[in-house]
Amino acid sequence: MLKIVEYPDPILRKTSQKIENPTDFKTKQLISDMLKLLRSTNDGLGLSAPQVGKNLQLCIIEIENEVFTIMNPKIEKLWGSEVVREEGCLSFPGKFLPVKRSEKIKITATDANGKKQVIRARGLLSRALQHEIDHLHGVLFVDRAVSEVKY
Ligand code: CO
């Protein structure tokens, strides 16, 4: 059973490894377990593999009943105005901070079927993608928080 890793566990600061076999049994199992875990939280929109103790380039986002399974993502473009909005993170229970993010994003990634996907997003999905992809580089929302004491 997976468990959410909380700050300051050092795994949250590591750079994640590329997933070589996106459709093998182990990866599919991990994706399904992470989705179950994400859905068991009250208000989580996204979860990254490092947050369950796996340094793999995988994250899952569920917004308005749509699930995005994102492996080996690459941010192609970030643009639009910079928007400050309160953010939380399942690895920081009860902590919410204003974070500045670009309004729009375009990424390429591998999807749950092992196929290349392009996601263009704005608003909440753009914010969630930026937050989760940051996790794969060991970057946490507290690093990007505006006008609050840094960790
Ligand atoms: Co997070």
Side-chain angles (χ1 to χ4, degrees), residues 10-138:
I11 197 166
L12 295 173
R13 287 300 189 186
K14 286 188 184 157
T15 299
S16 290
Q17 304 295 305
K18 201 171 173 214
I19 294 186
E20 300 296 343
N21 300 299
T23 56
D24 72 2
F25 177 76
K26 264 177 66 179
T27 308
K28 286 188 172 180
Q29 192 65 55
L30 178 59
I31 291 168
S32 133
D33 289 348
M34 280 175 61
L35 186 58
K36 243 181 261 168
L37 182 58
L38 176 62
R39 287 176 170 166
S40 77
T41 68
N42 280 330
D43 47 9
L45 295 177
L47 184 63
S48 65
Q51 290 179 281
V52 296
K54 316 268 183 201
N55 273 125
L56 294 169
Q57 291 182 29
L58 161 65
C59 49
I60 288 172
I61 293 171
E62 186 172 35
I63 290 180
E64 287 163 6
N65 299 318
E66 192 172 355
V67 176
F68 299 88
T69 301
I70 294 147
M71 287 181 271
N72 305 332
K74 182 170 178 271
I75 295 179
E76 303 289 346
K77 201 175 159 193
L78 278 170
W79 78 108
S81 51
E82 300 211 295
V83 183
V84 176
R85 202 174 147 169
E86 200 159 82
E87 252 177 59
C89 177
L90 293 171
S91 295
F92 292 78
K95 193 168 182 71
F96 297 90
L97 295 171
V99 178
K100 195 190 277 181
R101 304 270 189 196
S102 296
E103 196 203 349
K104 299 176 190 174
I105 191 172
K106 177 187 172 188
I107 72 156
T108 51
T110 301
D111 71 12
N113 299 311
K115 300 269 194 285
K116 186 186 163 184
Q117 62 182 333
V118 180
I119 302 175
R120 291 177 187 81
R122 59 192 299 166
L124 190 56
L125 179 56
S126 171
R127 179 169 293 273
L129 285 164
Q130 291 174 62
H131 179 118
E132 297 311 328
I133 293 171
D134 268 354
H135 272 296
L136 308 183
H137 298 97

